[in-house]
Amino acid sequence: YLQFWDKTMASSALDLRLCEELASSVAREAGRVIREAIQKRRSGSAAANSSAVEEKSSYADLVTETDQECERIIVRRLKEAFPNHKFIGEEEVSESGIMPELTDEPTWMIDPVDGTTNFVHGFPFVCVSIGLCVKKRPILGIVYNPLLEEFFKAREGQGATLNGAAISASEAVDLKAALIATEIGTKRDQGTMDATYKRVKALTSSCRSVRMCGSCACNMCGVACGRLDGFYEFGFGGPWDVAAAACILKEAGGSVVDPLGGGAFD
């Protein structure tokens, strides 16, 4: 399918169906790379176990060769079809240290391996996250967990699905009956840690229970399909963590808000 993609389509008006089809195909391709890399690690392959795992901002903030390979695959395939679109990818931003300006132009937000620490340890909450924003708004989202074989997808106005079946967010209104997710994050300074655990303590005393899976996109999709009643995180990595999942969650009937101000999430 990818080999016969008509590149003239890129110059025509934005066709979200075509964007969705290509993004879905590319997400599955990157997912295969992730799955095969983890299988090699589990089998004790010398090459896999010696593959580079590097630290970014701290010993808790990792990047691997698989992150970089998956981002290259995704960006290359999408650029071949849509050369005039813009791209904001986690690994490219990490390497350059420059966050591109988000404009009204079609912009792909890419997290090639959301849950890199999980990937390194073989913990199965790992996903490919591909979102498309137009006029600074997420209008297409793909989140694929190749280890659990969960493929979340949404397009603005078309609803959200998990493996092809329609999903909807929880309708829980009683916090004491709610299962809420959060994340510790990658910062390890005392001030951040104290604030983080203070919030977790307050939440734990108010809700049924708290969960942490290690992937922002997986958590948000958990809310979208109703297995979680809510999720919050302060200081997540960047827009690539949330763009795709925000579209999925909204299309599933959920809400995405700014925890600092309570208003609509920007």
Side-chain angles (χ1 to χ4, degrees):
Y1 176 83
L2 294 173
Q3 292 177 348
F4 296 100
W5 185 268
D6 182 358
K7 291 185 173 65
T8 62
M9 294 175 181
S11 62
S12 62
L14 185 66
D15 187 326
L16 284 181
R17 181 183 61 82
L18 295 176
C19 291
E20 178 185 332
E21 289 176 358
L22 182 56
S24 297
S25 178
V26 171
R28 291 191 184 279
E29 184 177 354
R32 283 193 296 272
V33 173
I34 293 170
R35 186 168 54 245
E36 290 169 3
I38 287 184
Q39 288 170 349
K40 288 178 181 178
R41 284 180 176 272
R42 287 174 175 170
S43 68
S45 164
N49 290 329
S50 64
S51 62
V53 178
E54 300 176 1
E55 296 179 2
K56 294 194 284 188
S57 64
S58 75
Y59 64 87
D61 187 12
L62 306 178
V63 62
T64 71
E65 292 176 348
T66 302
D67 294 74
Q68 295 162 344
E69 180 183 358
C70 287
E71 184 162 311
R72 284 194 295 268
I73 290 170
I74 295 167
V75 172
R76 183 177 69 249
R77 296 296 193 187
L78 292 175
K79 276 188 175 179
E80 286 175 355
F82 307 110
N84 296 323
H85 288 190
K86 297 183 180 299
F87 295 82
I88 299 178
E90 178 178 17
E91 304 315 325
E92 182 178 355
V93 171
S94 177
E95 289 179 12
S96 68
I98 300 172
M99 175 67 76
E101 179 186 1
L102 179 61
T103 68
D104 287 343
E105 297 301 311
T107 303
W108 294 91
M109 301 273 195
I110 301 160
D111 191 342
V113 183
D114 187 39
T116 299
T117 299
N118 290 349
F119 166 77
V120 170
H121 289 269
F123 192 63
F125 292 93
V126 179
C127 66
V128 181
S129 177
I130 304 175
L132 175 62
C133 296
V134 175
K135 295 185 178 180
K136 304 177 183 178
R137 188 179 73 253
I139 61 171
L140 172 65
I142 306 288
V143 173
Y144 175 44
N145 182 331
L147 305 182
L148 299 180
E149 276 301 333
E150 293 188 334
F151 196 96
F152 292 89
K153 181 169 63 175
R155 183 159 37 121
E156 189 175 61
Q158 301 295 315
T161 61
L162 166 56
N163 295 339
I167 57 174
S168 59
S170 164
E171 296 181 357
V173 294
D174 183 0
L175 187 57
K176 289 190 178 299
L179 183 63
I180 308 295
T182 187
E183 291 298 337
I184 294 296
T186 59
K187 293 183 178 180
R188 294 295 182 264
D189 62 278
Q190 194 61 50
T192 298
M193 295 296 290
D194 288 346
T196 297
Y197 284 111
K198 183 178 180 180
R199 287 190 292 266
V200 171
K201 181 180 179 180
L203 180 61
T204 303
S205 67
S206 302
C207 70
R208 176 162 288 165
S209 194
V210 177
R211 295 290 182 268
M212 300 178 192
C213 83
S215 162
C216 180
C218 286
N219 279 320
M220 291 180 70
C221 287
V223 179
C225 69
R227 67 171 67 126
L228 293 169
D229 299 298
F231 164 67
Y232 77 89
E233 182 172 1
F234 290 87
F236 53 84
W240 45 79
D241 284 328
V242 299
C247 180
I248 293 165
L249 179 52
K250 288 180 180 179
E251 286 298 310
S255 299
V256 184
V257 300
D258 184 345
L260 294 176
F265 179 73
D266 182 358

